[in-house]
Amino acid sequence: MSSHSISPKSQPAKHAKITDVAELAGVSVTTVSMVLNGKGRISPATAERVQQAIKQLDYVPNSAAANLRNQHSNLVGLILRDITDPFYTEVTAGVSEVLEQQGYLLFLTQCGHSPERLQQSIQSLSRQGVAGIIFNPVRGAAAKTLQTLLDSQLPVVCAARSYYRDDVDFIGPDNTHAAKQATTYLIEQGHRHIAYVGGRADSLARAERIGGYCASLLQYGLPFKPEWILECERTQRSAADTIAQLLHQHPKVTAVLCHYPEVALGGIYGVEASGRTVGKDNYIGQQVALLGFDDVAEAELSSPALTFVSSPAREIGRQAAQRLLTRMQQPDLAPNRHIITPSLQKRESA
């Protein structure tokens, strides 16, 4: 068999199979498999002949079939609520960076805000044989849906804006600290009447941020007024209308914490519509300061430049992927809560 040679006249096959490689190299299918997996005692000459056959046939190993045979998967599921959300886009990038370095492929699904679609995503990923799942929680998800995730026996990590259950690994930002940092910063710039705009009442991230905002106000003996805390849709138009109305009704307000980047950007138009101007963070005359959460690239071109408290979304993704890899190796680890501190990002106008 050692005298077998590969003819240079052989034509590459379409969708070559492992049996084609074995036949061309003059070896058994088992030998080809051992070369592909780097296992077994194969002579260098035989291994070289197999590699030549693989190259000549343009053979691509069927990793899915190999995963089934070896009870191992190189797929990891990522369930996002909204793939267009800049925060979760960055989380995805961080997850992908870490997993691809370890030879894993990301299987991305989107569930929106539907508990039913979250459960469908979990079931679909399980059927695909993923090695683990990173997910965003969905408001109002039934206990049955959450239990489906835990009962899947797959390693699971939650990467999200707000804290989740104690029985699941969680990676996310410190929303309370972020809001304390933002509010304190505005107070130190001279503001005494600070509002909070954006988000929905059932948002846990919003509740955490409002808690930090209130704590800083109380610390400095400043007024907390429920009418200064307003919901609005996540659009610049809704933010502009809401902030304009706020400033008309409560002219004492000189600064606004904006729950989303879109609220901060839309707030520029809302301030102008109220007959006032957007200033830097310092309190000067009729100027109103806007300070947002979760920085986005579009804010780089805002005029005037806005200040943001930025959550390190990409690092959250990296940490989530690292935790999942660890849990895949050590499934009996106790669930862990890892909180990443945000930072204040100030920009200067061009």
Side-chain angles (χ1 to χ4, degrees):
M1 186 173 292
S2 61
S3 62
H4 184 94
S5 62
I6 300 174
S7 169
K9 296 182 180 179
S10 300
Q11 295 297 318
K14 290 185 178 180
H15 306 296
K17 301 178 181 179
I18 193 170
T19 52
D20 299 323
V21 175
E23 181 180 354
L24 184 56
V27 298
S28 67
V29 169
T30 301
T31 298
V32 176
S33 180
M34 287 192 291
V35 171
L36 289 170
N37 293 306
K39 298 179 179 179
R41 296 182 178 180
I42 307 296
S43 71
T46 301
E48 176 63 23
R49 198 161 63 250
V50 171
Q51 293 292 354
Q52 287 182 21
I54 290 172
K55 183 177 181 180
Q56 189 168 328
L57 293 170
D58 291 329
Y59 172 69
V60 178
N62 187 335
S63 58
N67 289 339
L68 290 173
R69 290 193 299 272
N70 301 327
Q71 295 185 328
H72 172 77
S73 174
N74 69 336
L75 297 176
V76 167
L78 176 59
I79 306 175
L80 298 178
R81 279 186 303 205
D82 182 1
I83 62 176
T84 65
D85 185 325
F87 178 85
Y88 288 118
T89 299
E90 283 293 297
V91 169
T92 302
V95 169
S96 181
E97 285 176 11
V98 172
L99 293 180
E100 287 181 0
Q101 290 176 358
Q102 301 299 320
Y104 288 91
L105 298 176
L106 207 54
F107 199 125
L108 181 63
T109 65
Q110 178 176 267
C111 64
H113 294 280
S114 166
E116 293 76 18
R117 287 174 61 186
L118 173 60
Q119 184 157 356
Q120 291 171 3
S121 295
I122 296 166
Q123 293 169 341
S124 296
L125 291 172
S126 297
R127 285 194 293 267
Q128 292 295 327
V130 296
I133 294 176
I134 298 172
F135 75 104
N136 307 151
V138 172
R139 287 188 291 266
K144 179 181 177 182
T145 300
L146 304 177
Q147 200 58 45
T148 299
L149 194 60
L150 298 176
D151 289 345
S152 67
Q153 301 300 310
L154 288 170
V156 170
V157 172
C158 176
R161 277 195 176 93
S162 53
Y163 185 46
Y164 197 54
R165 295 163 45 134
D166 292 328
D167 51 354
V168 177
D169 285 314
F170 171 81
I171 314 290
D174 189 335
N175 289 307
T176 302
H177 176 78
K180 284 182 179 178
Q181 184 180 28
T183 307
T184 299
Y185 173 77
L186 290 172
I187 292 170
E188 291 176 348
Q189 298 303 306
H191 296 278
R192 296 295 179 266
H193 301 88
I194 303 169
Y196 191 104
V197 174
R200 292 168 33 173
D202 60 351
S203 165
L204 181 55
R206 182 177 185 267
E208 291 172 346
R209 287 175 181 169
I210 290 175
Y213 154 75
C214 292
S216 287
L217 292 178
L218 292 173
Q219 179 183 348
Y220 284 85
L222 296 177
F224 161 71
K225 296 183 180 293
E227 60 268 28
W228 291 358
I229 300 177
L230 301 176
E231 297 180 50
C232 75
E233 295 299 321
R234 191 176 178 176
T235 66
Q236 292 189 38
R237 166 54 62 190
S238 178
D241 293 343
T242 302
I243 289 177
Q245 184 178 14
L246 167 74
L247 296 176
H248 279 303
Q249 294 179 348
H250 306 283
K252 287 186 177 181
V253 171
T254 63
V256 181
L257 290 176
C258 303
H259 186 69
Y260 286 120
E262 293 88 344
V263 176
L265 294 171
I268 295 174
Y269 301 98
V271 171
E272 292 175 352
S274 73
R276 298 164 73 176
T277 59
V278 179
K280 286 302 294 176
D281 310 303
N282 303 69
Y283 174 48
I284 304 174
Q286 289 298 304
Q287 290 187 341
V288 176
L290 299 173
L291 196 156
F293 294 93
D294 295 345
D295 196 3
V296 292
E298 291 84 348
E300 294 180 3
L301 299 177
S302 67
S303 181
L306 299 178
T307 297
F308 281 84
V309 177
S310 180
S311 297
R314 188 169 296 223
E315 182 60 22
I316 289 172
R318 293 191 190 102
Q319 294 285 344
Q322 292 285 4
R323 182 62 182 179
L324 185 67
L325 291 171
T326 300
R327 181 156 290 285
M328 286 159 59
Q329 297 295 324
Q330 304 175 59
D332 295 328
L333 284 175
N336 179 61
R337 179 187 181 191
H338 184 62
I339 304 300
I340 300 179
T341 304
S343 60
L344 197 71
Q345 306 288 332
K346 292 187 66 177
R347 290 198 178 97
E348 297 298 329
S349 297

